[in-house]
Amino acid sequence: MTEKPLIHVQGLSVVASGRTILSLPDWRLAPGEAALLLGPSGSGKTTLLHAVAGLIRPTAGSVTVDGVDVAALKPGAADRFRGRTIGFVFQTLRLVRALTVEQILALALNLAGKSADRARISAALDRLGVADLASAKPQRLSVGEAQRCAIARAVVTQPRLILADEPTSALDDANADKAFALLQEQAAAVGAGLVIATHDSRLKTRLTNRVELAGP
């Protein structure tokens, strides 16, 4: 029996202000598989990640994640599904400045309907080398530290799918290598599918599974 895809995109189109900003006829990602989403700025990479996460609705076509049509979910159900199923590393990280790192991870667990287990939080931070920053707030973190904490937040819920939007764009070569390796390692550790959207030429040969978006 063919394994059900973790992500299945069919006839996807997103139109904004009369302009098609994303068009993808068909794409599948298997459970536990990793893929690079490539294309220049403005090619629709962020739009595709947001459509997969149910943060925007497609103009046409469908996106299913773990067998669920994410666009068909009502807002509350979409939030719960996203919290349980998807870990998202946003390009701007979106760490809540009023909370400590530990509290940010606890919030992610709560939104996933899981107990804010301090041992699980500590383990996630420790794996990423930032356990000593648990009581720090985001404004005290370096760019690299903040990124590691964002990855920890994405994996602490043990999601089925991790989405990362331009995770190396602001990093030097050494830290870009570390961030890419961390995403792969953490996805493998929790058995999650992984999609990394990037226009960073340093990453283009890192995975053989690649989706190229040409843009409008």
Side-chain angles (χ1 to χ4, degrees):
M1 182 181 294
T2 303
E3 188 175 24
K4 180 178 70 176
L6 178 59
I7 300 175
H8 190 190
V9 170
Q10 295 177 287
L12 182 65
S13 177
V14 178
V15 177
S17 301
R19 184 173 68 94
T20 300
I21 59 174
L22 174 64
S23 178
L24 186 61
D26 186 80
W27 174 49
R28 300 177 188 225
L29 185 81
E33 189 176 16
L36 286 178
L37 182 58
L38 302 174
S41 295
S43 60
K45 300 186 302 297
T46 295
T47 301
L48 178 54
L49 291 187
H50 284 199
V52 169
L55 295 169
I56 63 170
R57 290 179 179 271
T59 306
S62 66
V63 181
T64 59
V65 177
D66 207 17
V68 175
D69 183 347
V70 292
L73 296 173
K74 293 182 178 180
D79 288 342
R80 290 189 293 273
F81 177 77
R82 194 161 41 245
R84 292 192 308 269
T85 310
I86 298 172
F88 207 131
V89 183
F90 292 93
Q91 188 173 359
T92 54
L93 301 186
R94 299 191 185 184
L95 300 175
V96 183
R97 291 175 62 85
L99 301 180
T100 66
V101 169
E102 182 178 42
Q103 290 169 337
I104 289 169
L105 269 65
L107 177 61
L109 285 165
N110 286 334
L111 292 174
K114 298 180 179 180
S115 171
D117 185 340
R118 294 189 68 177
R120 177 183 287 192
I121 292 170
S122 295
L125 294 173
D126 186 58
R127 283 199 305 268
L128 287 148
V130 287
D132 59 329
L133 299 175
S135 61
K137 292 186 177 180
Q139 53 270 34
R140 283 186 47 202
L141 306 178
S142 70
V143 172
E145 289 169 344
Q147 189 170 57
R148 286 170 179 253
C149 292
I151 294 172
R153 177 185 60 187
V155 302
V156 72
T157 60
Q158 297 184 324
R160 291 272 289 154
L161 174 64
I162 298 171
L163 306 175
D165 191 4
E166 299 286 3
T168 62
S169 60
L171 301 179
D172 61 24
D173 289 351
N175 283 313
D177 284 341
K178 289 178 183 177
F180 184 79
L182 285 170
L183 283 164
Q184 284 191 297
E185 290 166 6
Q186 296 305 304
V190 298
L194 172 65
V195 181
I196 301 175
T198 185
H199 69 277
D200 189 339
S201 60
R202 297 171 297 184
L203 301 186
K204 288 184 178 180
T205 60
R206 298 298 184 88
L207 294 173
T208 56
N209 186 9
R210 296 188 288 268
V211 180
E212 299 268 1
L213 296 178

